[in-house]
Amino acid sequence: MNKRMYIFTLLLLTISVLAACNAQSEKTEAAPPTSAEGAVYPLTVQDELGHDVTLPAKPTRIFAPILEDSLLAVGVKPVVQWSNGVNPPLYLQDELDGVPEISFANGAPSPEALMSYKPDLIILNNSFYVENGTYEQYAKIAPTYVFNNASSDIAGTIQVMGQLLDKQDTAKQAVQDYQQKVDAAKEQLTAVTANKKVALIRFNAKGMFFMTDEYFSGYVLTHELGFTLSDFVKNGAFEVSLEILPELDADYIFLINDGNLGDEFLKELKDSPIWQSTAAFKNGQVYETWDDHWLNGGLHAHEKVIDDVLEYLVP
């Protein structure tokens, strides 16, 4: 190769390299932003009661009373947690330790009390907040999303949380993991639950009450694990009296003391000869719990209920 041809070839190679570099530079500069927040927000959705909710940016300070369980399922801590005036949800304190409490002992906290925590998103778990006027007050503080009844559809609630907080993948994975746990437990319990009826009795300061299969641990035992709710409860018996116990057609009975507030009524039941004559008592198929996850909704609560049932019933 002569000198002129060599220089010409070198020049072509240099031009090719520069063109490739420029193309790569243009490609990099033209690439869309990868920020999920930038892609998602501002976000406008409609809540379950028909309110338009607009989030200008990704929320970071969330107030979601009684929904802390579902909030944690998508990997987010609230700015403040619900309390009944005595305790917050105790079963969540491993994850919520240090999060301040706000009392609902006398109803929903005042707007002034809530404003001190500077929430940028408020999520309310049922329509009662609209019916009693709280929603209108809270919506002036921050964008406010209201569920019709979050406890009736935990998976749907978590999916909404994922949408609001740009945590869709986390929400989907949480629901899938829970369903796998349900399926595995149901398989272990097949022989136990077959043609067996269950009743759950809740004790609090007002008395003894049957729990239905519509929510909390009642939902888990029936809709998730395969028990059949006692016909007595299905037919509308909600308040428990000693006189009706001989009619109770439950193979398994779970006694749930609400924060030990029902100690007096639990003792009355356990001391009763009528109670001691029931088939479930005689067969040793009565189980007591004081744990508040039996009276809460959310994947964490439901998983703990499943763990308890397996411990009680599977050798």
Side-chain angles (χ1 to χ4, degrees):
M1 182 184 297
N2 60 37
K3 184 176 181 180
R4 180 177 296 177
M5 181 61 69
Y6 175 81
I7 293 172
F8 179 74
T9 303
L10 185 61
L11 181 61
L12 286 179
L13 180 60
T14 302
I15 292 171
S16 298
V17 171
L18 289 173
C21 290
N22 288 337
Q24 182 63 38
S25 177
E26 290 173 2
K27 182 178 179 181
T28 301
E29 290 172 3
T34 58
S35 167
E37 182 173 333
V40 172
Y41 304 95
L43 172 69
T44 297
V45 298
Q46 191 172 82
D47 72 13
E48 293 186 354
L49 273 71
H51 307 115
D52 287 331
V53 182
T54 298
L55 303 175
K58 186 170 185 175
T60 59
R61 299 181 63 82
I62 297 95
F63 174 56
I66 313 179
L67 289 170
E68 291 88 354
D69 192 316
S70 294
L71 197 59
L72 289 171
V74 298
V76 176
K77 287 187 179 183
V79 67
V80 59
Q81 62 176 317
W82 173 91
S83 167
N84 61 10
V86 179
N87 292 310
L90 296 177
Y91 74 99
L92 295 176
Q93 292 314 295
D94 284 349
E95 296 185 67
L96 293 181
D97 184 40
V99 175
E101 302 171 23
I102 193 165
S103 175
F104 276 67
N106 297 312
S110 69
E112 293 76 17
L114 181 55
M115 285 177 65
S116 66
Y117 295 99
K118 300 179 181 178
D120 54 15
L121 173 61
I122 299 170
I123 307 175
L124 302 176
N125 71 317
N126 64 56
S127 60
F128 180 71
Y129 289 99
V130 172
E131 296 164 8
N132 71 3
T134 300
Y135 166 80
E136 286 76 11
Q137 296 177 319
Y138 282 5
K140 294 176 183 177
I141 300 173
T144 302
Y145 185 102
V146 188
F147 287 98
N148 183 48
N149 183 3
S151 298
S152 65
D153 181 10
I154 300 298
T157 295
I158 289 173
Q159 289 167 359
V160 169
M161 295 279 201
Q163 180 186 15
L164 294 174
L165 302 171
D166 192 22
K167 293 279 190 176
Q168 294 93 330
D169 291 344
T170 305
K172 182 179 179 181
Q173 189 63 54
V175 172
Q176 289 178 347
D177 291 346
Y178 174 70
Q179 190 57 53
Q180 290 177 359
K181 185 180 184 74
V182 169
D183 294 341
K186 191 171 184 178
E187 184 175 351
Q188 287 183 267
L189 289 164
T190 298
V192 177
T193 60
N195 301 314
K196 299 297 183 181
K197 296 179 180 179
V198 65
L200 298 92
I201 303 177
R202 175 180 183 172
F203 300 80
N204 60 27
K206 297 180 180 179
M208 302 179 282
F209 306 90
F210 287 116
M211 290 179 62
T212 72
D213 62 347
E214 297 174 353
Y215 55 90
F216 301 159
S217 49
Y219 184 93
V220 177
L221 266 67
T222 54
H223 295 277
E224 305 279 47
L225 298 183
F227 286 100
T228 299
L229 190 67
S230 161
D231 291 335
F232 193 77
V233 182
K234 280 185 180 178
N235 293 332
F238 299 112
E239 187 167 357
V240 180
S241 65
L242 297 177
E243 291 73 21
I244 65 174
L245 290 177
E247 304 174 43
L248 183 58
D249 59 333
D251 300 286
Y252 297 94
I253 300 177
F254 294 85
L255 308 179
I256 309 164
N257 193 348
D258 189 352
N260 295 112
L261 297 174
D263 285 349
E264 176 185 348
F265 295 101
L266 178 60
K267 184 178 186 306
E268 178 185 357
L269 176 76
K270 293 169 69 174
D271 289 345
S272 167
I274 299 176
W275 165 250
Q276 296 169 11
S277 69
T278 61
F281 180 89
K282 289 181 176 180
N283 293 331
Q285 294 178 169
V286 175
Y287 306 93
E288 293 182 47
T289 178
W290 286 263
D291 297 311
D292 62 347
H293 54 267
W294 281 75
L295 299 173
N296 278 279
L299 297 189
H300 293 81
H302 289 187
E303 288 177 350
K304 288 178 178 293
V305 169
I306 291 172
D307 290 339
D308 287 347
V309 173
L310 289 174
E311 182 178 347
Y312 293 150
L313 302 181
V314 177

